[in-house]
Amino acid sequence: MNPKWWKESVVYQIYPISFMDSNGDGIGDLQGIISKLDYLKDLGVDVIWVCPIYKSPNHDNGYDISDYCDIMKEFGTMADFDLMLKEIHIRGMKLMMDLVLNHTSHEHPWFLDSKRSKDDPKRDFYIWRKGKNGGPPNNWESYFSGSVWEYDPETDEYYLHLYSKYQPDLNWENPEVIEKLHDMVEWWLKKGVDGFRFDAIAHIVKQQGLPDAENPHQSPTVRAYDMFSNLENVHTLLQNLYDKVLYFYDIMTVGETSGLGPEQALDYVGDGRRELNMTFQFEHMFLDAASAGSGKWDMVPWSLIELKKIMSNWQIVLHNRGWNANYLCNHDQPRSVSRFGNDVVCRVPSAKMLATFIHTLEGTPYIYQGEEIGMTNVAFDSIDEYRDVETLNYYEEKRQQGVPEEDIMRAIHNKSRDNARTPMQWDATENAGFTTGQPWLKVNSNYMEINVVRAMKDPDSIYHYYKKLIELRKKHKVIVYGEYKLLLPLHEEIYAYTRTLENEQLLVILNFFGQEPVFEMPDGLEPEGMELLISNFEPKKGEDLTRLKLRPYEARVYLKRF
Ligand code: GLC
Ligand code: CA
């Protein structure tokens, strides 16, 4: 089972701009994070993943870095960072940085030099090409709408950006780029950070010759193009980074890798690969996307059987060979309770059920800020209330195509990244206690009902349920390392599985919907001796475990020792 601290950990993701504002400018900051460390410690998390806090002009909330070794001025100073790291360590927690190695900001000095002239020594730090037939060099489409190419009239060439035009892609074929990035990673490790989430790492290598994609309209937000995703050389580069830098530190690493299944993921995380500890997979994030062609915005109802297939495959393939990173939400996705649960009538039980799911799978569980109090999607009336560059580009593109406003807004209400980015709801005071000023993005209007203070006071809250799940993980190795086995693969409402380690077995029963299906104990499982570890409802007196009628969104976890 190869024990590691990062397998036994629970990670909490902070989106700093929306977490806590300490100085009333409406923007979350590092002092704000420091002021909430006791809260996180109390919740029981081990690792804090902080989304990018480097110097940035903020076109993509810090994912456009203009200086890797400085702090975004809105967030504070390097002294604030050092204090934050120290305070995290004092509390026995760890810090995972979010590092963007695929691209920089267009304001990074490297890019400013690169742009200056074709002969500049930094020209080759980025990917520049001549246009073709009066247009861009190829037909690739950007994650954030439109071509990946931006024309620069000064030098009459185009530069490549897989994301927004403010995020030019670095040229990883240039050894100087690699050396500079390695040095920078090392610089942070020497400061004592405990790990990295490598943003968009699957895309650092592009297909040789940058040929046209066969189907340019197959949206990269559903299926990352073969042209720039998970290409063989990514592994060479990651192994190089590992051998030269990462190997020397006891850290945790996770890569953002869209467009792959578990077999391919083993190339990143397989034992002995010398690359990453785990990756974020995206297969379950596209369950509700209508087709590869329309991208993430065009929604269809998702199917539980499909979810089981995907998750089971990851559980089984990676068992004893790699490690999973389990999540239902992050800063790029809608809120989990709105998407996979029910935020209207069963918000509390469904959020607890989803938490039970993520925390009882094999792999490291990730909590996204606010998930622990069941924060929900938001539906602003007007596009003017939105801030996310992806959302704004999508709106523009669809308007130009003549799509009716209400259709565009419906898609945005369901899928905009701003759903997860509204300020953290700390209490019932104005602006949810996030800021004393004007928040950079409007607070969700449900903050009077959904907030931390209220959740902490209520022993039945989602917050306390999370706390208990985390405690259980510390107590029972089977939760961390047990082997997963799916039960009832074809049941349309119940997701059930066992996890087995030596003489211990967990039985997890999850009702994913609002009906009351009956869970029939499968052959080979005996209810005798099963101890109920956690549940989101009180068990009924005298109930029959072999034929258990579940309540809407009911979740139960049993432990049995042999
Ligand atoms: C990743 C980040 C996302 C960002 C993009 C470009 O997908 O999670 O927030 O916009 O990379 O850096
Ligand atoms: Ca601030």
Side-chain angles (χ1 to χ4, degrees):
M1 77 190 188
N2 193 8
K4 297 276 186 223
W5 63 262
W6 41 264
K7 295 184 179 174
E8 294 169 18
S9 292
V10 173
V11 182
Y12 187 94
Q13 182 190 353
I14 290 182
Y15 198 62
I17 191 170
S18 300
F19 191 60
M20 181 66 202
D21 173 24
S22 71
N23 61 353
D25 64 358
I27 296 174
D29 46 52
L30 301 188
Q31 286 294 343
I33 296 176
I34 294 171
S35 73
K36 296 297 182 187
L37 291 178
D38 286 334
Y39 167 74
L40 297 177
K41 180 67 193 170
D42 210 47
L43 179 59
V45 303
D46 307 282
V47 178
I48 300 172
W49 152 24
V50 181
C51 288
I53 54 174
Y54 317 90
K55 186 172 173 195
S56 163
N58 247 320
H59 288 285
D60 189 19
N61 291 344
Y63 284 92
D64 47 327
I65 300 172
S66 57
D67 186 343
Y68 286 103
C69 297
D70 199 356
I71 300 294
M72 194 193 298
K73 60 180 186 313
E74 292 85 348
F75 289 174
T77 62
M78 196 53 84
D80 294 324
F81 174 83
D82 292 337
L83 181 65
M84 178 177 83
L85 182 60
K86 193 170 137 205
E87 293 291 330
I88 289 173
H89 285 163
I90 285 175
R91 287 167 179 76
M93 297 185 287
K94 294 179 188 286
L95 175 66
M96 179 161 83
M97 300 288 279
D98 198 327
L99 204 44
V100 189
L101 301 179
N102 179 68
H103 47 270
T104 67
S105 159
H106 68 311
E107 288 185 18
H108 194 292
W110 297 342
F111 189 70
L112 298 179
D113 286 346
S114 180
K115 203 172 174 248
R116 194 157 295 134
S117 83
K118 285 186 192 163
D119 316 315
D120 193 279
K122 293 268 182 336
R123 184 69 170 179
D124 262 354
F125 268 48
Y126 296 84
I127 303 167
W128 291 94
R129 291 290 185 279
K130 286 216 157 326
K132 230 172 55 190
N133 314 324
N138 70 26
N139 66 0
W140 299 359
E141 282 177 19
S142 148
Y143 282 102
F144 295 163
S145 306
S147 168
V148 300
W149 295 101
E150 181 72 11
Y151 182 63
D152 170 45
E154 298 287 314
T155 57
D156 188 31
E157 284 190 342
Y158 292 77
Y159 67 85
L160 185 143
H161 59 89
L162 294 186
Y163 295 89
S164 85
K165 65 179 177 191
Y166 310 113
Q167 295 163 296
D169 281 47
L170 283 163
N171 176 14
W172 277 77
E173 288 185 11
N174 181 342
E176 242 190 289
V177 168
I178 295 175
E179 200 185 305
K180 288 230 177 327
L181 293 176
H182 283 189
D183 288 351
M184 178 272 293
V185 172
E186 177 118 49
W187 187 85
W188 282 103
L189 286 168
K190 286 203 172 125
K191 265 188 169 295
V193 305
D194 306 288
F196 296 104
R197 175 231 186 220
F198 291 115
D199 183 72
I201 200 72
H203 311 307
I204 57 176
V205 176
K206 282 77 180 168
Q207 192 65 259
Q208 281 295 318
L210 311 179
D212 276 345
E214 250 174 57
N215 181 3
H217 300 301
Q218 169 175 303
S219 166
T221 58
V222 168
R223 230 163 260 310
Y225 289 141
D226 303 344
M227 291 296 151
F228 48 75
S229 300
N230 306 304
L231 294 171
E232 187 48 39
N233 234 350
V234 174
H235 300 292
T236 317
L237 293 170
L238 277 176
Q239 285 164 7
N240 187 13
L241 174 65
Y242 182 86
D243 290 341
K244 296 235 169 75
V245 186
L246 306 181
Y247 167 79
F248 300 96
Y249 299 83
D250 180 21
I251 55 167
M252 161 174 174
T253 55
V254 52
E256 188 200 26
T257 55
S258 57
L260 48 67
E263 294 289 351
Q264 246 185 316
L266 281 173
D267 291 345
Y268 288 98
V269 305
D271 292 338
R273 285 289 295 185
R274 308 191 331 275
E275 293 187 33
L276 301 169
N277 297 147
M278 52 192 119
T279 66
F280 290 122
Q281 60 97 1
F282 279 71
E283 293 194 299
H284 62 317
M285 289 291 113
F286 290 119
L287 277 174
D288 57 3
S291 73
S294 57
K296 76 174 199 178
W297 299 98
D298 195 0
M299 278 187 52
V300 290
W302 58 277
S303 118
L304 183 64
I305 293 180
E306 281 304 312
L307 179 69
K308 290 187 206 179
K309 268 193 209 153
I310 291 172
M311 300 309 273
S312 300
N313 200 18
W314 282 86
Q315 291 287 298
I316 292 161
V317 174
L318 264 52
H319 183 67
N320 279 341
R321 297 165 76 195
W323 195 248
N324 275 291
N326 296 318
Y327 73 99
L328 287 176
C329 186
N330 61 37
H331 64 293
D332 293 331
Q333 299 294 338
R335 287 281 174 183
S336 55
V337 67
S338 304
R339 187 181 193 182
F340 296 106
N342 184 331
D343 65 5
V344 186
V345 287
C346 291
R347 188 182 65 87
V348 173
S350 68
K352 289 178 182 174
M353 183 277 293
L354 294 170
T356 316
F357 177 47
I358 287 304
H359 287 252
T360 58
L361 288 170
E362 187 178 353
T364 300
Y366 286 73
I367 305 170
Y368 177 69
Q369 69 183 39
E371 209 175 7
E372 79 279 19
I373 55 167
M375 279 177 64
T376 67
N377 280 354
V378 75
F380 297 133
D381 292 335
S382 150
I383 188 68
D384 300 336
E385 312 276 20
Y386 286 85
R387 298 286 173 268
D388 168 32
V389 59
E390 181 193 39
T391 305
L392 301 178
N393 286 359
Y394 169 77
Y395 180 86
E396 245 344 281
E397 187 181 82
K398 291 293 147 185
R399 287 301 294 176
Q400 273 169 24
Q401 291 168 5
V403 178
E405 172 90 10
E406 59 183 86
D407 292 350
I408 307 177
M409 289 313 286
R410 191 177 326 110
I412 289 177
H413 291 164
N414 284 323
K415 284 295 185 69
S416 169
R417 305 196 297 180
D418 280 341
N419 279 310
R421 297 175 179 188
T422 59
M424 179 72 183
Q425 294 163 206
W426 293 105
D427 59 38
T429 64
E430 208 184 340
N431 292 318
F434 162 71
T435 180
T436 53
Q438 192 64 25
W440 74 279
L441 175 69
K442 260 177 42 182
V443 171
N444 193 318
S445 59
N446 61 19
Y447 71 93
M448 302 279 256
E449 185 202 340
I450 305 172
N451 65 63
V452 167
V453 165
R454 201 170 154 165
M456 288 179 85
K457 275 195 205 134
D458 172 6
D460 283 332
S461 68
I462 301 166
Y463 165 85
H464 284 290
Y465 193 87
Y466 266 91
K467 221 175 138 153
K468 184 156 179 210
L469 280 171
I470 297 171
E471 279 163 17
L472 287 171
R473 184 177 187 82
K474 308 287 169 211
K475 247 172 54 200
H476 301 284
K477 285 264 178 292
V478 61
I479 297 183
V480 181
Y481 296 109
E483 180 168 10
Y484 166 99
K485 183 165 173 258
L486 179 67
L487 307 171
L488 314 173
L490 297 179
H491 202 292
E492 287 176 357
E493 291 160 79
I494 300 173
Y495 193 158
Y497 46 93
T498 54
R499 303 274 316 283
T500 311
L501 181 72
E502 291 154 12
N503 64 338
E504 291 194 320
Q505 185 170 60
L506 287 183
L507 168 63
V508 181
I509 307 166
L510 307 167
N511 178 10
F512 258 80
F513 299 98
Q515 287 79 32
E516 303 190 337
V518 174
F519 172 78
E520 307 212 20
M521 195 68 74
D523 288 344
L525 290 179
E526 293 299 329
E528 280 77 56
M530 282 187 180
E531 173 201 348
L532 184 63
L533 287 186
I534 189 167
S535 170
N536 56 357
F537 288 95
E538 277 296 310
K540 291 186 195 132
K541 285 212 174 61
E543 62 187 13
D544 177 6
L545 263 190
T546 58
R547 276 189 56 82
L548 187 63
K549 188 168 175 194
L550 297 170
R551 283 157 284 195
Y553 300 99
E554 183 156 2
R556 295 196 183 197
V557 182
Y558 288 95
L559 174 67
K560 187 164 171 168
R561 295 193 176 84
F562 305 106

